[in-house]
Amino acid sequence: MNREEILEKSRKENKNQDVYEQEVLKQSQAWSAFVMVILALVFWLVQIYSGGGINYGFWALVFASNMTTFWVKYIKLRHRHELVFAIMYTAAVLLMSVCHIYKLVTAPAAA
């Protein structure tokens, strides 16, 4: 097998995406999730400090991003730890969503 055949086979396997580019994309997504959680934490602390209580819907959205990432990784890679994290994030999303909806339904109507 010559060099051109090997390169062509690699292009087909990687669907014309550079391996380095895929690694950079993976790292950028990880950093994006990290920054999102840090920003959410800052907003959460400011909201609690200012007397605004907890916005559970906000946390449901933050956890939903990580939940989706872990479900996709599990479906593609079938690693057990991806499934464990996917289930944990799904539980967090469901819990935060239920708390948010409950808080909305039971809150007194604004006049």
Side-chain angles (χ1 to χ4, degrees), residues 14-76:
N14 294 318
K15 299 180 178 133
N16 285 330
Q17 291 186 350
D18 183 19
V19 174
Y20 179 71
E21 184 180 343
Q22 290 174 349
E23 184 62 27
V24 168
L25 181 61
K26 184 173 85 172
Q27 289 178 2
S28 69
Q29 290 170 338
W31 276 105
S32 173
F34 177 74
V35 169
M36 181 179 56
V37 169
I38 295 299
L39 193 56
L41 182 62
V42 168
F43 290 163
W44 178 65
L45 290 173
V46 169
Q47 186 173 8
I48 288 176
Y49 181 73
S50 66
I54 298 175
N55 185 341
Y56 294 104
F58 185 70
W59 282 107
L61 291 173
V62 170
F63 291 140
S65 172
N66 291 325
M67 175 194 74
T68 304
T69 299
F70 279 107
W71 276 116
V72 170
K73 286 172 70 175
Y74 172 71
I75 289 167
K76 298 285 185 181

